[in-house]
Amino acid sequence: MSGEAQRRAPIGVFDSGVGGLTVLHELRRALGRESTIYLGDEARMPYGPRAAQEVLEFSKQAMRWFADPPGLATQQCKLVVLACNTSTAVALDTVRDLFDLPIIGVVRPGAVAAVSASARRHVGVVATEGTVRSGAYLRAVRDVDPLTRVTQVACPELVPIVEAGEASSPRAQDAVRRYCEPLVAEGVDTVLLGCTHYPLLRSAFETALGPGVRVVDSARTTALAVREVLESHHLLRDGDGATHRVFATGPRERFRAIARTIFGEELPTIEEAHLGS
Ligand code: DGL
């Protein structure tokens, strides 16, 4: 791609489903002139409870979709954000090795945000089972600051609650309170929301953790990391006319309905995508 074509190329965003729209939202706030292409693997969501091998395979298929866009209608992206924590935790290193694509994941930006927010350097990480099992956040936090303690809690009930549109319900508050108990008992001073869906439960976490604990998520820091990379390579797009496309695997009406329930807003036309065989 020529320099100008590269500047005009969209930013790709991949997630296992609709949750990555939290990351897309922050990207569009930080980088208003950029075009975006979002791909949600709604047909095979959730990734959180799946075996690492399967998440790896699905993530490879998604990155192949971005690296070799299907048909003339889809453009190659100048950078792809792996917005799914589970996918980043399990697959980031492998897909970076396999594909000739600049890829940014959400785990390292999340770890940076958590360490810089933590006064006593004891961070709690809440995430899916797959993310917790991978140990990716432990390694990322240690990479940023090897003296910071990390306490992880897997929260398998939370994604289904958010997907059901019940993020503000007593059921959500109960589940969040239960998951926060070990974090409060261990005395963490910062909690990182290490899953695309959890920013929608932020106030439940803040209530359960109390005023002495800071709650951070990776969406905003990831958007800033993307901006920094594009800026330093003179790849920011200038001018108006940015376009935004959303692709999903599986029934598009279901994707639209869940996005509407979660975010309370209509998405543009949702286009069909096929991953794998
Ligand atoms: N996107 C996933 C994550 O951030 C949550 C949903 C899922 O389990 O697929 O870990």
Side-chain angles (χ1 to χ4, degrees):
M1 253 194 274
S2 74
E4 182 50 25
Q6 214 179 351
R7 267 191 295 283
R8 297 190 70 77
I11 298 172
V13 179
F14 171 66
D15 183 48
S16 56
V18 292
L21 293 173
T22 53
V23 177
L24 181 68
H25 182 75
E26 289 297 338
L27 272 171
R28 290 187 54 180
R29 250 169 40 125
L31 291 154
R33 294 192 149 156
E34 299 294 332
S35 293
T36 60
I37 293 184
Y38 183 92
L39 171 63
D41 191 9
E42 186 63 21
R44 300 186 293 193
M45 120 103 212
Y47 281 13
R50 291 182 187 272
Q53 196 51 41
E54 203 171 25
V55 174
L56 178 62
E57 195 46 48
F58 294 171
S59 307
K60 285 201 279 196
Q61 291 168 0
M63 290 308 107
R64 198 168 298 128
W65 189 92
F66 280 109
D68 187 9
L72 289 176
T74 329
Q75 258 178 296
Q76 181 130 32
C77 294
K78 59 183 168 189
L79 181 142
V80 175
V81 179
L82 212 46
C84 177
N85 290 257
T86 311
S87 175
T88 302
V90 170
L92 180 63
D93 292 340
T94 307
V95 293
R96 273 187 175 150
D97 287 346
L98 287 176
F99 298 100
D100 185 20
L101 265 182
I103 306 173
I104 287 190
V106 284
V107 169
R108 193 182 155 83
V112 170
V115 171
S116 57
S118 174
R120 287 188 279 89
R121 298 293 155 106
H122 187 175
V123 166
V125 175
V126 285
T128 66
E129 294 149 290
T131 300
V132 166
R133 214 184 312 118
S134 75
Y137 272 110
L138 295 180
R139 288 190 294 278
V141 169
R142 275 190 208 128
D143 203 29
V144 179
D145 175 5
L147 295 177
T148 292
R149 276 182 69 195
V150 181
T151 302
Q152 300 194 96
V153 176
C155 311
E157 286 174 47
L158 299 186
V159 166
I161 289 176
V162 174
E163 293 263 322
E166 292 177 19
S168 312
S169 66
R171 182 179 159 220
Q173 284 152 15
D174 274 3
V176 167
R177 195 174 315 112
R178 259 185 291 115
Y179 290 131
C180 286
E181 273 166 16
L183 299 172
V184 173
E186 287 280 326
V188 303
D189 66 68
T190 299
V191 168
L192 170 63
L193 306 179
C195 172
T196 45
H197 290 58
Y198 301 176
L200 295 147
L201 296 162
R202 178 182 277 272
S203 67
F205 274 102
E206 284 169 346
T207 307
L209 291 162
V213 179
R214 295 180 75 175
V215 177
V216 297
D217 69 68
S218 50
R220 177 95 189 127
T221 3
T222 301
L224 298 180
V226 170
R227 188 167 70 190
E228 205 175 296
V229 168
L230 294 180
E231 212 161 32
S232 69
H233 289 274
H234 307 289
L235 284 178
L236 288 175
R237 183 180 187 282
D238 42 33
D240 301 327
T243 58
H244 303 285
R245 300 176 71 184
V246 177
F247 289 82
T249 60
R252 281 166 288 162
E253 268 325 299
R254 183 182 130 79
F255 185 91
R256 178 190 291 285
I258 295 176
R260 196 191 297 122
T261 315
I262 297 181
F263 297 98
E265 66 184 57
E266 283 299 330
L267 289 176
T269 313
I270 297 161
E271 301 174 65
E272 197 175 356
H274 295 281
L275 299 179
S277 45

